[in-house]
Amino acid sequence: MDPSSDTWDFSPLISLWINRYYIYLGFAFGIGLWICFQIVTRKQDKNSQEKSIPKAAQDLMTNGYSSLHKKEVFVSGVKIFYGSQTGTAKEFATILAEAVTSLYLPVAVINLKEYDPDDNLVEEVTSKNVCAFLVATYTDGRPTESAEWFCKWLEEASNDFRFGKTYLKGMRYAVFGLGNSAYASHFNKVGKNVDKWLWMLGAHRVMTRGEGDCNVVKSKHGSIEADFRAWKTKFISQLQVLCKGEKKSCDGSCKKGKCESNQRSSEEMELGSHTQDGLHQRDPEEEEPFESSSEEESGTEDHQSLTSVVDVEDLGNIMNHVKKEKREKEQQEEKTGLFRNTVKNEASERRAMITPALREALTKQGYQLIGSHSGVKLCRWTKSMLRGRGGCYKHTFYGIESHRCMETTPSLACANKCVFCWRHHTNPVGTEWRWKMDQPEVILKEAIENHQNMIKQFKGVPGVKEERFKEGMTVKHCALSLVGEPIMYPEINRFLKLLHECKISSFLVTNAQFPVEIRNLKPVTQLYVSVDASTKDSLKKIDRPLFKDFWQRFLDSLKALAAKGVTYCGESSASSLTMANVPWHEEVVRFVRELVDLIPDYEIACEHEHSNCLLIAHKKFKIDREWWTWIDYNRFQELIQEYEDSGGSKTFSAEDYMAKTPHWALFGANERGFDPKDTRFQRKNKSKDISGC
């Protein structure tokens, strides 16, 4: 305000108001410049920080192992397993671990002697680890002492249909074998077998097998150390490829150890799906189970199919092989013709049930064959209980000690060709006994001896309890449920009597096609009848029985069973094809609840979740609101002796030798059917059984 005047001058304010838009624009422009300055400054700071980081660390970040922004991990680590006798494989494992460490990957070196494949190997399916196996071949092509149990378990699992071809699907592995080509018949046999068995279980080979040779004359690189260095270099290179998640690993079909995966850019694929769910799809023709990196391995090229693409150089060898096979086939046909003529001339002589081909197949599957028609095999639950890891459902339901149970059969033959058959219909079938017959005394003696020999193999195995090992050498129970139809054996009653005389309880399973034999059966500790279907049509489709009157036989067998006074255990929930068809445990429980509602005087008594089964028992075994489904086996032996002494006139029932069921075995118990004294399986609700019991 002017002091000489009484009026105010608002012209400056008016001017600012009129030009306010220019002022706003100036402020906006200044703020924009400031933002741009900040962005440029931060970018320069970031670049300067990156320049200060070592190149190895930059590669580490680029490959996705460590980053400010979380990236997918394609390889979480490396596990190096070794089986060594003189220390060479162990030394190689240490060297390989140092090489892996340079890639900033976690690495673990594991002695196979201290490793439990039964519990831990399946974890590698989803672990995103790469497993390297360094295994030596010892005397006569056998594994070293430290790797003996691992190899035995792996071989049995690979030949056990209950594990299946996808058990280790998702696991990635590589094998380096140590051997001496001076022993040509079993050069690197252990390495080849481990490679093959892992592949058979669905694991994925990331590179061709390496073969170290102690024979410097024939060693591919001049010494076993040089052989290992060459393989190690390839392994580290392949590991880098896997870490980037850019290329497909070795497909296992490489010829003579020459990996062609890196040359086929059209077949490259990312491992994202593999690491996302732990599984990857395997092309049926993707890998060759007997793939070898050794040029001297016999039979590698001889087994190529003429329909596959082959080198012209190899065509002559293949054609020679075909001609050789044709000559051998003609010679075999001539021998067969002579044999048939001999059989016609000796028609009165019965043939052996176990043919040479069947003997070879069953032996490969772990069976110990007895005479001409019997067999014994060690159950996986026997192995489990020897190691304090729980027993099968028979232990939960009836008190059978799995580590003292012998699984056998006096007849490998059967009258059905069930779609879910364990043996895939390789065993003989028939509606009556038409083979040579061995005496029951011989069968039992050899069965016990073979069972004990198989138990002896567990001495020193990691986790085996000394007390149970000693107990396992004395057979206390016999499960006549291995395979085939035991009740077909004409001397089944004599065999049962011999078992009871040896104080061995009997657990007999039959397929409900021999009602007369069931009625004529002498006292047995437990008698099971398999009920695989509920209608005539479904039974025909599922069991594919040989008898034309199969349905009437089935009904008559159930009536004969009722007359024996045994406990009905409900309908079988066995799979007809694959594990994918097996119901979840919750589904089985729901089904059994509905079934019990339809059966008067029956209730659910026990549960064994791991085997995916429940026990339905008559209420007569429930005394004062407590279940008595277990068996007093000593009392049973006393009763069976009284029966024999009376000439069969003194009879007894199941109530006479029942015992109280422990709380942990009851339906709904927290233990889910596992004895709390044992190490429980780490399997939760949705468990599917591969027990086969």
Side-chain angles (χ1 to χ4, degrees):
M1 181 179 69
D2 189 351
S4 61
S5 175
D6 294 333
T7 62
W8 293 83
D9 185 7
F10 294 101
S11 58
L13 294 175
I14 294 172
S15 178
L16 287 173
W17 177 254
I18 294 172
N19 297 294
R20 64 185 184 278
Y21 294 109
Y22 297 104
I23 296 173
Y24 295 159
L25 185 61
F27 274 115
F29 182 72
I31 293 172
L33 287 176
W34 181 81
I35 292 174
C36 292
F37 176 77
Q38 292 295 326
I39 292 174
V40 173
T41 303
R42 291 185 182 182
K43 188 174 182 179
Q44 290 176 345
D45 291 341
K46 184 178 180 180
N47 290 337
S48 62
Q49 289 176 2
E50 289 179 352
K51 290 179 180 179
S52 65
I53 298 176
K55 186 177 185 302
Q58 289 184 33
D59 292 340
L60 190 64
M61 294 169 66
T62 303
N63 289 339
Y65 304 127
S66 174
S67 176
L68 294 175
H69 301 285
K70 188 176 181 181
K71 293 184 178 181
E72 186 175 13
V73 176
F74 294 97
V75 177
S76 61
V78 176
K79 288 186 178 180
I80 304 172
F81 301 87
Y82 70 88
S84 183
Q85 193 72 27
T86 61
T88 306
K90 181 179 180 180
E91 179 184 352
F92 286 173
T94 303
I95 295 173
L96 183 61
E98 293 176 356
V100 172
T101 304
S102 66
L103 300 180
Y104 296 92
L105 282 173
V107 60
V109 179
I110 302 170
N111 185 350
L112 285 174
K113 185 177 182 179
E114 301 168 354
Y115 184 73
D116 186 357
D118 202 21
D119 284 349
N120 302 319
L121 194 59
V122 73
E123 295 176 0
E124 304 306 331
V125 169
T126 56
S127 67
K128 299 182 184 178
N129 289 323
V130 174
C131 300
F133 294 87
L134 279 58
V135 288
T137 299
Y138 199 44
T139 308
D140 297 327
R142 296 180 59 82
T144 59
E145 292 180 7
S146 61
E148 189 171 9
W149 163 244
F150 175 82
C151 291
K152 178 178 176 60
W153 182 92
L154 197 61
E155 179 182 16
E156 290 182 354
S158 65
N159 289 292
D160 192 333
F161 81 100
R162 292 166 291 187
F163 284 86
K165 297 180 180 179
T166 59
Y167 182 70
L168 294 180
K169 189 173 182 180
M171 174 183 171
R172 294 176 289 178
Y173 76 96
V175 176
F176 180 81
L178 295 82
N180 192 323
S181 60
Y183 304 95
S185 60
H186 50 255
F187 173 57
N188 259 313
K189 184 177 180 180
V190 175
K192 295 173 184 177
N193 284 338
V194 169
D195 186 19
K196 176 180 69 176
W197 294 330
L198 287 169
W199 186 91
M200 290 172 65
L201 287 169
H204 184 68
R205 183 189 300 115
V206 300
M207 62 177 292
T208 48
R209 183 180 65 251
E211 294 187 348
D213 192 352
C214 290
N215 186 353
V216 294
V217 177
K218 291 189 176 182
S219 171
K220 194 172 182 179
H221 300 89
S223 68
I224 192 170
E225 291 80 9
D227 292 336
F228 171 70
R229 285 195 297 270
W231 179 85
K232 181 193 70 174
T233 300
K234 294 179 180 178
F235 178 78
I236 296 299
S237 176
Q238 184 64 16
L239 197 58
Q240 290 174 321
V241 171
L242 293 173
C243 288
K244 295 177 182 179
E246 295 178 351
K247 296 184 178 181
K248 180 179 179 181
S249 56
C250 175
D251 64 2
S253 60
C254 307
K255 179 185 175 183
K256 296 185 178 181
K258 299 177 181 178
C259 184
E260 301 175 356
S261 299
N262 296 334
Q263 302 172 11
R264 297 189 302 242
S265 58
S266 62
E267 296 183 6
E268 295 175 2
M269 70 175 185
E270 294 187 358
L271 299 177
S273 59
H274 169 84
T275 55
Q276 183 177 359
D277 57 13
L279 300 175
H280 64 277
Q281 297 296 324
R282 169 182 290 204
D283 191 293
E285 300 179 358
E286 178 184 336
E287 297 183 4
E288 194 73 27
F290 298 100
E291 169 273 327
S292 170
S293 63
S294 172
E295 296 184 17
E296 300 170 359
E297 184 176 348
S298 61
T300 303
E301 297 177 13
D302 292 342
H303 291 83
Q304 280 187 322
S305 170
L306 287 174
T307 59
S308 61
V309 180
V310 297
D311 289 345
V312 176
E313 297 174 344
D314 299 329
L315 194 56
N317 292 333
I318 295 175
M319 294 307 298
N320 289 335
H321 177 71
V322 172
K323 292 178 180 179
K324 182 180 178 182
E325 283 188 340
K326 185 177 180 181
R327 287 195 300 269
E328 291 177 351
K329 185 177 180 181
E330 291 174 350
Q331 293 173 359
Q332 185 63 33
E333 288 177 350
E334 291 178 2
K335 293 180 180 179
T336 303
L338 293 174
F339 175 75
R340 287 174 179 171
N341 292 332
T342 304
V343 171
K344 289 179 180 179
N345 294 333
E346 301 175 5
S348 59
E349 183 178 347
R350 293 193 173 188
R351 59 186 176 87
M353 180 185 293
I354 303 177
T355 63
L358 180 59
R359 182 177 296 275
E360 181 181 357
L362 292 177
T363 301
K364 185 178 180 181
Q365 295 170 19
Y367 284 82
Q368 298 295 319
L369 300 178
I370 303 165
S372 63
H373 54 74
S374 307
V376 63
K377 187 178 182 182
L378 209 61
C379 172
R380 71 181 295 266
W381 288 108
T382 301
K383 306 172 190 176
S384 173
M385 209 162 191
L386 282 171
R387 305 169 72 197
R389 299 178 183 273
C392 75
Y393 77 92
K394 300 184 189 75
H395 176 59
T396 302
F397 294 175
Y398 317 113
I400 291 178
E401 299 170 294
S402 301
H403 66 298
R404 305 184 71 178
C405 181
M406 175 178 70
E407 191 172 26
T408 186
T409 181
S411 171
L412 292 165
C414 187
N416 288 344
K417 299 177 68 176
C418 304
V419 295
F420 54 82
C421 178
W422 291 19
R423 300 282 68 81
H424 308 291
H425 320 303
T426 57
N427 284 18
V429 293
T431 57
E432 61 181 7
W433 191 271
R434 49 187 173 83
W435 301 275
K436 290 181 180 179
M437 188 184 72
D438 302 323
Q439 294 303 307
E441 292 83 1
V442 176
I443 296 174
L444 180 58
K445 179 177 179 294
E446 293 191 21
I448 293 175
E449 290 177 354
N450 281 307
H451 178 82
Q452 290 173 335
N453 289 334
M454 288 186 286
I455 293 289
K456 288 178 182 178
Q457 296 177 8
F458 280 79
K459 188 173 184 178
V461 169
V464 171
K465 297 183 178 295
E466 184 177 355
E467 179 183 356
R468 291 194 174 179
F469 177 79
K470 292 179 180 178
E471 291 177 345
M473 293 300 295
T474 303
V475 178
K476 190 176 179 181
H477 313 281
C478 179
L480 296 166
S481 59
L482 180 60
V483 70
E485 179 59 87
I487 208 169
M488 280 184 71
Y489 177 50
E491 295 292 343
I492 186 63
N493 280 322
R494 279 181 59 197
F495 187 81
L496 291 171
K497 183 178 179 181
L498 290 171
L499 284 174
H500 299 153
E501 288 177 355
C502 295
K503 306 302 180 185
I504 299 174
S505 70
S506 50
F507 185 99
L508 177 63
V509 179
T510 178
N511 289 320
Q513 288 296 295
F514 294 91
V516 175
E517 285 74 8
I518 293 177
R519 284 194 291 268
N520 295 335
L521 200 63
K522 294 294 179 68
V524 57
T525 314
Q526 291 168 275
L527 178 60
Y528 258 53
V529 170
S530 297
V531 180
D532 304 322
S534 57
T535 66
K536 182 178 180 179
D537 290 339
S538 58
L539 185 68
K540 184 177 182 180
K541 291 178 181 178
I542 294 174
D543 282 5
R544 300 196 296 174
L546 271 63
F547 284 108
K548 293 182 179 179
D549 58 341
F550 66 91
W551 183 246
Q552 189 59 49
R553 285 176 170 271
F554 173 79
L555 297 176
D556 291 343
S557 294
L558 294 182
K559 292 177 182 178
L561 180 69
K564 293 292 181 181
V566 298
T567 303
Y568 176 66
C569 295
E571 184 172 349
S572 167
S573 59
S575 167
S576 61
L577 292 175
T578 67
M579 288 300 297
N581 301 110
V582 178
W584 296 117
H585 187 64
E586 295 91 333
E587 295 173 321
V588 175
V589 171
R590 185 169 60 251
F591 168 79
V592 173
R593 286 184 186 274
E594 295 175 0
L595 182 62
V596 167
D597 291 338
L598 303 174
I599 307 176
D601 299 324
Y602 281 83
E603 291 182 2
I604 303 176
C606 301
E607 174 183 28
H608 192 265
E609 185 183 62
H610 187 80
S611 289
N612 211 9
C613 62
L614 293 90
L615 173 66
I616 301 176
H618 196 283
K619 292 179 182 179
K620 66 183 178 182
F621 294 103
K622 194 174 186 180
I623 303 174
D624 295 331
R625 303 181 67 180
E626 293 182 325
W627 283 108
W628 289 65
T629 64
W630 274 38
I631 295 173
D632 185 339
Y633 292 99
N634 291 329
R635 178 57 181 156
F636 173 81
Q637 298 298 345
E638 293 174 359
L639 292 170
I640 201 70
Q641 187 61 52
E642 294 176 5
Y643 170 85
E644 295 294 343
D645 293 342
S646 67
S649 62
K650 187 173 182 179
T651 61
F652 57 93
S653 64
E655 294 99 307
D656 296 325
Y657 56 94
M658 63 183 181
K660 185 178 178 180
T661 309
H663 179 270
W664 57 263
L666 299 177
F667 174 63
N670 293 331
E671 292 82 0
R672 299 288 187 178
F674 275 99
D675 191 334
K677 296 193 298 292
D678 290 317
T679 303
R680 292 180 58 196
F681 283 86
Q682 300 301 311
R683 298 197 179 193
K684 302 302 179 183
N685 291 328
K686 288 191 175 181
S687 61
K688 292 192 176 184
D689 182 35
I690 56 170
S691 65
C693 291

